[in-house]
Amino acid sequence: MAVARPQPAAPSPQQQATPRHPASLPAQRTAGPPGRAGEQDDAQAIVPEGIAAPAMISAEIFAAAVDAHVSGQRLDMQSLARRLGVSRATLYRRAGNREQLLDLVLWWRARHTLVEQVHATAAQSGAKRIVKAIGGVLHAIEQDRSLRAFLESDPEAALRILTGTRSTVRKGMVATLENLIDLERGRGAFAADLDTPTLAYAIVRIAEGFLYADVIADRSPDIDQAITVIEALLRGLDLMRRA
C-alpha cells in the first residue's frame, strides 16, 4: 500500500476530518485509531476490513481517485490517466471502470466513518448504541460535501453506487450493521424476534429513503426523522422481545 508519491499540500480542516490519502496510512493499522482494547475489538468485529485502502488497486491510483472525489471534481478516467501518466486502457485494466473505482473510494471513506462511530459509541450498549452509531454515520454522510456534490452532478450514477444491488457501499453498510446488531445481541444488550439480516436491511433502506430523499422522491433530506423512525423500530422490537 505504501507507494512513493509526491507529498500533498496541507488539507483543509474539513478534509482532515475525512481521510484523503490512503497511501499515507500505516500498513499495519486496520481497525482504526488507538483506543481502549474493547474499542479495538469492537471495531475489528464490526468493521473487519478496517480502514486499509483496497489491496487490488495500487495506492497511487487509489490516492489520485480519492483526491479527485474529495476535491469535488468529477472523477474522469481520461483526466485521471493523464495525471498518473498512463493510458486510459491501462487505467481501466488496473482499476476497473469509473463506477467500480468510485464504489471503492466511497466504501473506503465510509469505513473510516463507521470505525469512528464504533469508538464514539463504545460506552453505550443495546438499542441506544445502535441508534447512536447509525445517527452518527447519517450525520457524517449528510455533511460530506464531496458526496453531496457527486449526488447533485450525477444523481443516477451516485444512487447506483450508493444503493444499487451490486454496490460495495450498500453491501458493506448492511454487513456492518448486521455485525453491530449481532454484537449487542450476543452481549444480551439487545433482543428482537426479527432476524438480523432482515432488520439490518430494513434499517439501511429507511436511512437511504431519508438521506437521499431529494434525489429519490423530490423531498428534503431529514436525518432526524430517519433516526426517530429507526429508534422506534429498534426500541419497539427490544421491548416486545423482553415483555
Side-chain angles (χ1 to χ4, degrees), residues 182-229:
D182 280 341
L183 186 70
E184 295 304 315
R185 279 188 195 264
R187 291 172 174 170
F190 175 73
D193 287 329
L194 198 61
D195 64 277
T196 296
T198 300
L199 179 56
Y201 175 79
I203 290 172
V204 169
R205 291 295 286 175
I206 291 169
E208 290 171 348
F210 284 95
L211 185 59
Y212 308 124
D214 53 337
V215 181
I216 295 172
D218 196 25
R219 296 180 55 182
S220 297
D222 194 327
I223 302 305
D224 290 336
Q225 280 192 356
I227 295 169
T228 297
V229 172

Short mmCIF file of all heavy atoms in Angstrom, two decimals, residues 182-229:
data_model
loop_
_atom_site.label_atom_id
_atom_site.label_comp_id
_atom_site.label_asym_id
_atom_site.label_seq_id
_atom_site.Cartn_x
_atom_site.Cartn_y
_atom_site.Cartn_z
N ASP A 182 -25.56 -7.98 15.91
CA ASP A 182 -25.20 -9.29 16.48
C ASP A 182 -24.29 -9.14 17.69
O ASP A 182 -24.40 -9.92 18.65
CB ASP A 182 -24.51 -10.15 15.42
CG ASP A 182 -25.49 -10.81 14.47
OD1 ASP A 182 -26.69 -10.90 14.82
OD2 ASP A 182 -25.07 -11.22 13.37
N LEU A 183 -23.42 -8.14 17.68
CA LEU A 183 -22.55 -7.90 18.82
C LEU A 183 -23.38 -7.54 20.05
O LEU A 183 -23.16 -8.09 21.15
CB LEU A 183 -21.57 -6.77 18.51
CG LEU A 183 -20.49 -6.51 19.56
CD1 LEU A 183 -19.49 -7.65 19.61
CD2 LEU A 183 -19.77 -5.20 19.27
N GLU A 184 -24.34 -6.66 19.89
CA GLU A 184 -25.19 -6.25 21.01
C GLU A 184 -26.14 -7.37 21.43
O GLU A 184 -26.45 -7.53 22.61
CB GLU A 184 -25.95 -4.97 20.66
CG GLU A 184 -25.06 -3.75 20.44
CD GLU A 184 -24.17 -3.46 21.64
OE1 GLU A 184 -24.67 -3.49 22.78
OE2 GLU A 184 -22.97 -3.22 21.45
N ARG A 185 -26.60 -8.16 20.50
CA ARG A 185 -27.40 -9.35 20.83
C ARG A 185 -26.58 -10.31 21.68
O ARG A 185 -27.04 -10.82 22.70
CB ARG A 185 -27.84 -10.07 19.56
CG ARG A 185 -29.05 -9.53 18.81
CD ARG A 185 -29.38 -10.53 17.72
NE ARG A 185 -30.26 -10.07 16.69
CZ ARG A 185 -31.58 -10.27 16.66
NH1 ARG A 185 -32.17 -10.90 17.66
NH2 ARG A 185 -32.30 -9.84 15.65
N GLY A 186 -25.36 -10.57 21.22
CA GLY A 186 -24.51 -11.53 21.91
C GLY A 186 -24.18 -11.11 23.33
O GLY A 186 -23.91 -11.96 24.19
N ARG A 187 -24.17 -9.82 23.59
CA ARG A 187 -23.89 -9.31 24.93
C ARG A 187 -25.14 -9.21 25.79
O ARG A 187 -25.09 -8.78 26.94
CB ARG A 187 -23.23 -7.93 24.82
CG ARG A 187 -21.83 -7.99 24.24
CD ARG A 187 -21.27 -6.61 23.95
NE ARG A 187 -19.87 -6.70 23.54
CZ ARG A 187 -19.17 -5.69 23.05
NH1 ARG A 187 -19.74 -4.50 22.88
NH2 ARG A 187 -17.90 -5.86 22.71
N GLY A 188 -26.28 -9.60 25.21
CA GLY A 188 -27.52 -9.55 25.95
C GLY A 188 -28.09 -8.15 26.12
O GLY A 188 -29.01 -7.93 26.91
N ALA A 189 -27.56 -7.19 25.35
CA ALA A 189 -27.99 -5.80 25.48
C ALA A 189 -29.12 -5.44 24.52
O ALA A 189 -29.76 -4.40 24.67
CB ALA A 189 -26.80 -4.87 25.23
N PHE A 190 -29.37 -6.32 23.54
CA PHE A 190 -30.43 -6.06 22.57
C PHE A 190 -31.08 -7.39 22.21
O PHE A 190 -30.41 -8.41 22.08
CB PHE A 190 -29.89 -5.39 21.31
CG PHE A 190 -30.90 -5.21 20.22
CD1 PHE A 190 -31.90 -4.24 20.35
CD2 PHE A 190 -30.88 -6.00 19.08
CE1 PHE A 190 -32.85 -4.07 19.35
CE2 PHE A 190 -31.83 -5.84 18.08
CZ PHE A 190 -32.81 -4.87 18.21
N ALA A 191 -32.41 -7.35 22.05
CA ALA A 191 -33.14 -8.56 21.68
C ALA A 191 -34.24 -8.19 20.69
O ALA A 191 -34.82 -7.11 20.76
CB ALA A 191 -33.75 -9.22 22.91
N ALA A 192 -34.49 -9.09 19.76
CA ALA A 192 -35.57 -8.87 18.79
C ALA A 192 -35.95 -10.21 18.18
O ALA A 192 -35.09 -11.07 17.98
CB ALA A 192 -35.11 -7.90 17.70
N ASP A 193 -37.23 -10.37 17.89
CA ASP A 193 -37.68 -11.60 17.23
C ASP A 193 -37.30 -11.60 15.75
O ASP A 193 -37.22 -12.66 15.13
CB ASP A 193 -39.20 -11.74 17.37
CG ASP A 193 -39.62 -12.12 18.79
OD1 ASP A 193 -38.84 -12.82 19.47
OD2 ASP A 193 -40.70 -11.70 19.23
N LEU A 194 -37.08 -10.44 15.18
CA LEU A 194 -36.70 -10.32 13.78
C LEU A 194 -35.24 -10.73 13.59
O LEU A 194 -34.39 -10.38 14.41
CB LEU A 194 -36.90 -8.87 13.32
CG LEU A 194 -36.98 -8.58 11.83
CD1 LEU A 194 -38.17 -9.31 11.20
CD2 LEU A 194 -37.11 -7.08 11.60
N ASP A 195 -34.98 -11.50 12.53
CA ASP A 195 -33.60 -11.92 12.30
C ASP A 195 -32.72 -10.74 11.91
O ASP A 195 -33.19 -9.74 11.35
CB ASP A 195 -33.55 -13.00 11.21
CG ASP A 195 -34.01 -12.49 9.86
OD1 ASP A 195 -35.24 -12.46 9.62
OD2 ASP A 195 -33.15 -12.09 9.04
N THR A 196 -31.44 -10.85 12.19
CA THR A 196 -30.51 -9.74 12.00
C THR A 196 -30.41 -9.26 10.55
O THR A 196 -30.46 -8.05 10.30
CB THR A 196 -29.12 -10.11 12.53
OG1 THR A 196 -29.20 -10.32 13.94
CG2 THR A 196 -28.10 -9.01 12.25
N PRO A 197 -30.27 -10.16 9.55
CA PRO A 197 -30.17 -9.67 8.16
C PRO A 197 -31.38 -8.86 7.72
O PRO A 197 -31.24 -7.83 7.06
CB PRO A 197 -30.02 -10.95 7.34
CG PRO A 197 -29.40 -11.93 8.28
CD PRO A 197 -30.03 -11.63 9.61
N THR A 198 -32.58 -9.31 8.10
CA THR A 198 -33.79 -8.58 7.73
C THR A 198 -33.84 -7.23 8.42
O THR A 198 -34.17 -6.20 7.81
CB THR A 198 -35.05 -9.39 8.09
OG1 THR A 198 -35.01 -10.64 7.39
CG2 THR A 198 -36.32 -8.64 7.72
N LEU A 199 -33.50 -7.20 9.70
CA LEU A 199 -33.52 -5.95 10.45
C LEU A 199 -32.50 -4.96 9.90
O LEU A 199 -32.82 -3.78 9.70
CB LEU A 199 -33.24 -6.23 11.93
CG LEU A 199 -33.20 -5.02 12.87
CD1 LEU A 199 -34.50 -4.23 12.80
CD2 LEU A 199 -32.93 -5.49 14.31
N ALA A 200 -31.30 -5.41 9.63
CA ALA A 200 -30.26 -4.53 9.10
C ALA A 200 -30.66 -3.98 7.73
O ALA A 200 -30.49 -2.78 7.44
CB ALA A 200 -28.93 -5.27 9.01
N TYR A 201 -31.19 -4.84 6.88
CA TYR A 201 -31.63 -4.41 5.55
C TYR A 201 -32.72 -3.35 5.65
O TYR A 201 -32.68 -2.32 4.96
CB TYR A 201 -32.13 -5.61 4.75
CG TYR A 201 -32.72 -5.25 3.41
CD1 TYR A 201 -31.89 -4.97 2.32
CD2 TYR A 201 -34.09 -5.17 3.22
CE1 TYR A 201 -32.42 -4.63 1.08
CE2 TYR A 201 -34.64 -4.82 1.99
CZ TYR A 201 -33.80 -4.56 0.93
OH TYR A 201 -34.34 -4.21 -0.29
N ALA A 202 -33.69 -3.58 6.54
CA ALA A 202 -34.79 -2.62 6.70
C ALA A 202 -34.28 -1.27 7.19
O ALA A 202 -34.71 -0.22 6.70
CB ALA A 202 -35.82 -3.18 7.69
N ILE A 203 -33.35 -1.28 8.13
CA ILE A 203 -32.81 -0.03 8.66
C ILE A 203 -32.05 0.74 7.58
O ILE A 203 -32.19 1.97 7.46
CB ILE A 203 -31.89 -0.31 9.87
CG1 ILE A 203 -32.73 -0.79 11.06
CG2 ILE A 203 -31.10 0.94 10.26
CD1 ILE A 203 -31.91 -1.29 12.23
N VAL A 204 -31.25 0.04 6.79
CA VAL A 204 -30.50 0.70 5.73
C VAL A 204 -31.44 1.31 4.70
O VAL A 204 -31.23 2.43 4.23
CB VAL A 204 -29.50 -0.28 5.07
CG1 VAL A 204 -28.92 0.32 3.78
CG2 VAL A 204 -28.38 -0.63 6.03
N ARG A 205 -32.51 0.60 4.37
CA ARG A 205 -33.48 1.13 3.42
C ARG A 205 -34.18 2.38 3.97
O ARG A 205 -34.41 3.35 3.24
CB ARG A 205 -34.52 0.07 3.07
CG ARG A 205 -33.97 -1.09 2.27
CD ARG A 205 -33.51 -0.67 0.90
NE ARG A 205 -34.63 -0.41 0.00
CZ ARG A 205 -34.51 0.06 -1.24
NH1 ARG A 205 -33.32 0.36 -1.71
NH2 ARG A 205 -35.57 0.25 -1.99
N ILE A 206 -34.53 2.36 5.24
CA ILE A 206 -35.13 3.53 5.87
C ILE A 206 -34.15 4.71 5.81
O ILE A 206 -34.52 5.83 5.43
CB ILE A 206 -35.51 3.24 7.34
CG1 ILE A 206 -36.68 2.25 7.40
CG2 ILE A 206 -35.87 4.53 8.09
CD1 ILE A 206 -36.93 1.69 8.80
N ALA A 207 -32.91 4.45 6.18
CA ALA A 207 -31.90 5.50 6.18
C ALA A 207 -31.71 6.09 4.79
O ALA A 207 -31.64 7.32 4.62
CB ALA A 207 -30.57 4.94 6.70
N GLU A 208 -31.63 5.25 3.78
CA GLU A 208 -31.46 5.72 2.41
C GLU A 208 -32.63 6.59 1.97
O GLU A 208 -32.45 7.62 1.31
CB GLU A 208 -31.31 4.54 1.45
CG GLU A 208 -30.02 3.77 1.58
CD GLU A 208 -30.01 2.48 0.78
OE1 GLU A 208 -31.09 2.06 0.30
OE2 GLU A 208 -28.92 1.88 0.65
N GLY A 209 -33.83 6.17 2.35
CA GLY A 209 -35.03 6.91 1.94
C GLY A 209 -35.03 8.33 2.45
O GLY A 209 -35.49 9.26 1.76
N PHE A 210 -34.56 8.54 3.67
CA PHE A 210 -34.50 9.89 4.24
C PHE A 210 -33.24 10.64 3.81
O PHE A 210 -33.28 11.84 3.55
CB PHE A 210 -34.56 9.82 5.77
CG PHE A 210 -35.93 9.53 6.30
CD1 PHE A 210 -36.32 8.24 6.62
CD2 PHE A 210 -36.83 10.56 6.51
CE1 PHE A 210 -37.58 7.97 7.13
CE2 PHE A 210 -38.11 10.31 7.01
CZ PHE A 210 -38.48 9.01 7.32
N LEU A 211 -32.12 9.93 3.74
CA LEU A 211 -30.84 10.57 3.44
C LEU A 211 -30.78 11.09 2.01
O LEU A 211 -30.26 12.19 1.76
CB LEU A 211 -29.71 9.57 3.67
CG LEU A 211 -28.27 10.06 3.54
CD1 LEU A 211 -27.98 11.19 4.52
CD2 LEU A 211 -27.30 8.91 3.79
N TYR A 212 -31.32 10.33 1.07
CA TYR A 212 -31.27 10.72 -0.34
C TYR A 212 -32.66 11.10 -0.86
O TYR A 212 -32.95 10.96 -2.04
CB TYR A 212 -30.69 9.57 -1.18
CG TYR A 212 -29.39 9.05 -0.66
CD1 TYR A 212 -29.21 7.70 -0.35
CD2 TYR A 212 -28.31 9.91 -0.45
CE1 TYR A 212 -28.00 7.22 0.13
CE2 TYR A 212 -27.10 9.44 0.05
CZ TYR A 212 -26.95 8.10 0.33
OH TYR A 212 -25.76 7.63 0.82
N ALA A 213 -33.50 11.62 0.03
CA ALA A 213 -34.89 11.94 -0.33
C ALA A 213 -34.98 12.95 -1.45
O ALA A 213 -35.89 12.90 -2.29
CB ALA A 213 -35.63 12.46 0.91
N ASP A 214 -34.04 13.90 -1.51
CA ASP A 214 -34.10 14.92 -2.54
C ASP A 214 -33.85 14.34 -3.92
O ASP A 214 -34.38 14.83 -4.92
CB ASP A 214 -33.09 16.04 -2.25
CG ASP A 214 -31.67 15.52 -2.03
OD1 ASP A 214 -31.51 14.34 -1.67
OD2 ASP A 214 -30.73 16.32 -2.21
N VAL A 215 -33.08 13.27 -3.99
CA VAL A 215 -32.79 12.63 -5.27
C VAL A 215 -33.85 11.59 -5.61
O VAL A 215 -34.28 11.46 -6.76
CB VAL A 215 -31.40 11.96 -5.25
CG1 VAL A 215 -31.08 11.32 -6.59
CG2 VAL A 215 -30.33 12.99 -4.89
N ILE A 216 -34.30 10.84 -4.60
CA ILE A 216 -35.24 9.74 -4.82
C ILE A 216 -36.67 10.22 -4.98
O ILE A 216 -37.41 9.76 -5.85
CB ILE A 216 -35.16 8.73 -3.66
CG1 ILE A 216 -33.78 8.07 -3.61
CG2 ILE A 216 -36.25 7.66 -3.79
CD1 ILE A 216 -33.55 7.21 -2.38
N ALA A 217 -37.09 11.15 -4.11
CA ALA A 217 -38.52 11.50 -4.04
C ALA A 217 -38.80 13.00 -4.07
O ALA A 217 -39.91 13.41 -3.77
CB ALA A 217 -39.11 10.91 -2.75
N ASP A 218 -37.82 13.80 -4.45
CA ASP A 218 -38.02 15.26 -4.52
C ASP A 218 -38.50 15.82 -3.18
O ASP A 218 -39.38 16.67 -3.13
CB ASP A 218 -39.00 15.61 -5.64
CG ASP A 218 -38.93 17.09 -6.02
OD1 ASP A 218 -37.87 17.71 -5.79
OD2 ASP A 218 -39.94 17.62 -6.52
N ARG A 219 -37.91 15.32 -2.10
CA ARG A 219 -38.20 15.82 -0.76
C ARG A 219 -36.90 16.22 -0.10
O ARG A 219 -35.82 15.75 -0.47
CB ARG A 219 -38.88 14.74 0.11
CG ARG A 219 -40.24 14.29 -0.37
CD ARG A 219 -40.81 13.23 0.55
NE ARG A 219 -40.86 13.67 1.94
CZ ARG A 219 -41.28 12.91 2.94
NH1 ARG A 219 -41.65 11.65 2.71
NH2 ARG A 219 -41.31 13.38 4.17
N SER A 220 -36.99 17.06 0.90
CA SER A 220 -35.77 17.48 1.61
C SER A 220 -35.29 16.34 2.50
O SER A 220 -36.09 15.71 3.20
CB SER A 220 -36.05 18.71 2.47
OG SER A 220 -36.42 19.81 1.66
N PRO A 221 -33.99 16.05 2.49
CA PRO A 221 -33.45 15.03 3.40
C PRO A 221 -33.74 15.42 4.84
O PRO A 221 -33.68 16.60 5.19
CB PRO A 221 -31.95 15.05 3.10
CG PRO A 221 -31.84 15.63 1.73
CD PRO A 221 -32.94 16.63 1.62
N ASP A 222 -34.04 14.43 5.67
CA ASP A 222 -34.33 14.71 7.08
C ASP A 222 -33.73 13.59 7.93
O ASP A 222 -34.36 12.56 8.17
CB ASP A 222 -35.84 14.81 7.32
CG ASP A 222 -36.18 15.43 8.67
OD1 ASP A 222 -35.40 15.22 9.63
OD2 ASP A 222 -37.21 16.12 8.77
N ILE A 223 -32.51 13.81 8.37
CA ILE A 223 -31.79 12.80 9.13
C ILE A 223 -32.44 12.56 10.49
O ILE A 223 -32.53 11.42 10.96
CB ILE A 223 -30.31 13.21 9.32
CG1 ILE A 223 -29.65 13.42 7.96
CG2 ILE A 223 -29.56 12.15 10.13
CD1 ILE A 223 -29.75 12.25 7.03
N ASP A 224 -32.92 13.62 11.13
CA ASP A 224 -33.53 13.47 12.45
C ASP A 224 -34.77 12.58 12.38
O ASP A 224 -35.00 11.77 13.29
CB ASP A 224 -33.89 14.84 13.03
CG ASP A 224 -32.65 15.64 13.41
OD1 ASP A 224 -31.59 15.02 13.65
OD2 ASP A 224 -32.73 16.88 13.44
N GLN A 225 -35.57 12.73 11.33
CA GLN A 225 -36.73 11.86 11.18
C GLN A 225 -36.31 10.41 10.96
O GLN A 225 -36.94 9.49 11.50
CB GLN A 225 -37.60 12.32 10.01
CG GLN A 225 -38.51 13.51 10.34
CD GLN A 225 -39.56 13.75 9.28
OE1 GLN A 225 -39.58 13.07 8.24
NE2 GLN A 225 -40.43 14.70 9.53
N ALA A 226 -35.26 10.22 10.18
CA ALA A 226 -34.76 8.86 9.96
C ALA A 226 -34.35 8.22 11.27
O ALA A 226 -34.69 7.06 11.56
CB ALA A 226 -33.57 8.89 9.00
N ILE A 227 -33.63 8.97 12.10
CA ILE A 227 -33.18 8.45 13.39
C ILE A 227 -34.36 8.14 14.30
O ILE A 227 -34.38 7.12 15.00
CB ILE A 227 -32.21 9.45 14.06
CG1 ILE A 227 -30.94 9.59 13.22
CG2 ILE A 227 -31.86 9.00 15.48
CD1 ILE A 227 -30.04 10.73 13.64
N THR A 228 -35.38 9.00 14.27
CA THR A 228 -36.58 8.78 15.09
C THR A 228 -37.27 7.48 14.69
O THR A 228 -37.67 6.68 15.55
CB THR A 228 -37.56 9.96 14.94
OG1 THR A 228 -36.94 11.15 15.43
CG2 THR A 228 -38.84 9.71 15.72
N VAL A 229 -37.41 7.26 13.39
CA VAL A 229 -38.07 6.04 12.91
C VAL A 229 -37.25 4.80 13.27
O VAL A 229 -37.79 3.78 13.74
CB VAL A 229 -38.29 6.11 11.38
CG1 VAL A 229 -38.79 4.77 10.84
CG2 VAL A 229 -39.27 7.22 11.03
#
